[in-house]
Amino acid sequence: MARGGRAAAAVHDDPCDRGRWHAAALTRALIPVLDAVRPDFPFDVIDASFFFPDGVAAVALGRRYGVPVSIKARGADIHHWGRAAGTRAQIRRAGRAADGLLAVSAAMRADMIAMGMPEARIRVHHTGVDQDRFRPIDAAARAGEAARLGVTGPLVLSVGALIPRKGHDVVIAAVARLPGVSLRIAGEGATGRGWRR
């Protein structure tokens, strides 16, 4: 790393991370696909499952095809892209233009309202979990899994992309102060290479 953290700043200032043109590029890429599909599948709504760039592109496509648009906010689309200088206004405009808006939590809904999105059109919609795959297991099975993972005490699991804004470094520092506590991090990304032990 360069002196004074310059390498990190350079990565953070990468023009590709600014996102200004992502939604326009996505819109251009989808028009020929949707034009080809529409005669056989005359869709009557566009549902974007992430606010940026998907939601911004969905609003443009909804106008083109004359169909309503729903956009769901999940996290980084509001908390990262919604604060970035190159994308903030696009997200606000899309939120105001969409026919329906979904938020994964009441806190996310409040953040969307604070950005200037219409309160009356935002509904909280908790993301579902496959309860057949993700369910509590009995004590014997839990002990077997803990032994397989080499865990002998309490376990903290941090799940998310291995990128700085997810805050895994905060969890690593906190768990390091807790005697007898193990930490496992699940995710993908370049940042995680330095965390493997």
Side-chain angles (χ1 to χ4, degrees), residues 108-131:
M108 179 69 66
R109 181 178 186 271
D111 292 343
M112 294 165 70
I113 293 166
M115 285 182 70
M117 294 183 199
E119 181 175 356
R121 279 190 257 151
I122 306 171
R123 298 286 178 262
V124 174
H125 179 261
H126 301 285
T127 303
V129 175
D130 182 341
Q131 294 182 350

Side-chain angles (χ1 to χ4, degrees), residues 51 55 59 63 68-71 93-101 118 121:
F51 227 100
V59 167
R63 285 186 186 133
V69 173
S70 172
I71 307 172
R93 278 192 306 271
R96 290 175 178 166
D99 299 281
L101 298 167
R121 279 190 257 151

